[in-house]
Amino acid sequence: EPEVTQTPSHQVTQMGQEVILRCVPISNHLYFYWYRQILGQKVEFLVSFYNNEISEKSEIFDDQFSVERPDGSNFTLKIRSTKLEDSAMYFCASSEFRSGANVLTFGAGSRLTVL
Amino acid sequence: SQQGEEDPQALSIQEGENATMNCSYKTSINNLQWYRQNSGRGLVHLILIRSNEREKHSGRLRVTLDTSKKSSSLLITASRAADTASYFCATDLDWFMEYGNKLVFGAGTILRVKS
């Protein structure tokens, strides 16, 4: 069964450093997303991406964050100048709109620890 | 305030018992979905119910939707230890998939099934 793959599975970084989280969505999906989950808390929407541009972003997704689809397969989330509160699980998801509904397929997540 | 809120926050039952989780939301929806998350892993789609449906079944899962009360319930029958996970409802607010509809997740219910 097709899956969304994310790398790295865990990254530890120092506060102020830049981090890039990578995702390979399912190949025939057109819509891509990043969500994050702070330990034990709810899953929060960060950004959606379609047709090589951001389609929607949340208040969390400020200038510190950026997304890119540098080639036909990868979808990346860059966090500039990380803060302690950026420590969380970051999930990539992709979807195809089928039969009038949008079902997301999630990756296993990238755990980011900012020290 | 968040769109979807589940209750209870945590539920502990014996293997073989039924587990019921509830979700409330605030605005009109296109559909409501339930996802499962094993500890430290990504979310996996379980079932989707559209706004014009009242009940849906899939294996041991039964979902109901009451749009007048803006609530949904997920019933897992004959639970197994392997059902231990967090369960999230997610609402799709948009009717047209022009650029990638985000799903808004609730805080989740932690289900523990004891063997």
Side-chain angles (χ1 to χ4, degrees), chain B residues 41-95:
Chain B
R41 304 292 294 172
L43 289 87
V44 176
H45 178 258
L46 293 176
I47 194 166
L48 176 151
I49 187 165
R50 299 176 193 273
S51 59
N52 61 353
E53 296 176 314
R54 291 296 166 257
E55 188 170 310
K56 199 127 178 227
H57 296 255
S58 177
R60 294 185 295 113
L61 304 180
R62 172 178 168 248
V63 172
T64 62
L65 180 65
D66 186 336
T67 53
S68 66
K69 295 181 179 177
K70 293 186 169 56
S71 67
S72 173
S73 67
L74 172 68
L75 169 67
I76 304 174
T77 60
S79 63
R80 305 166 183 167
D83 295 328
T84 295
S86 294
Y87 292 82
F88 295 85
C89 69
T91 48
D92 184 348
L93 309 183
D94 296 309
W95 291 86

Side-chain angles (χ1 to χ4, degrees), chain A residues 48-66:
Chain A
S48 57
F49 192 87
Y50 169 67
N51 199 27
N52 285 319
E53 60 182 27
I54 291 173
S55 47
E56 188 173 359
K57 59 184 181 180
S58 71
E59 292 177 352
I60 302 169
F61 195 89
D62 58 21
D63 292 343
Q64 180 194 8
F65 294 89
S66 62

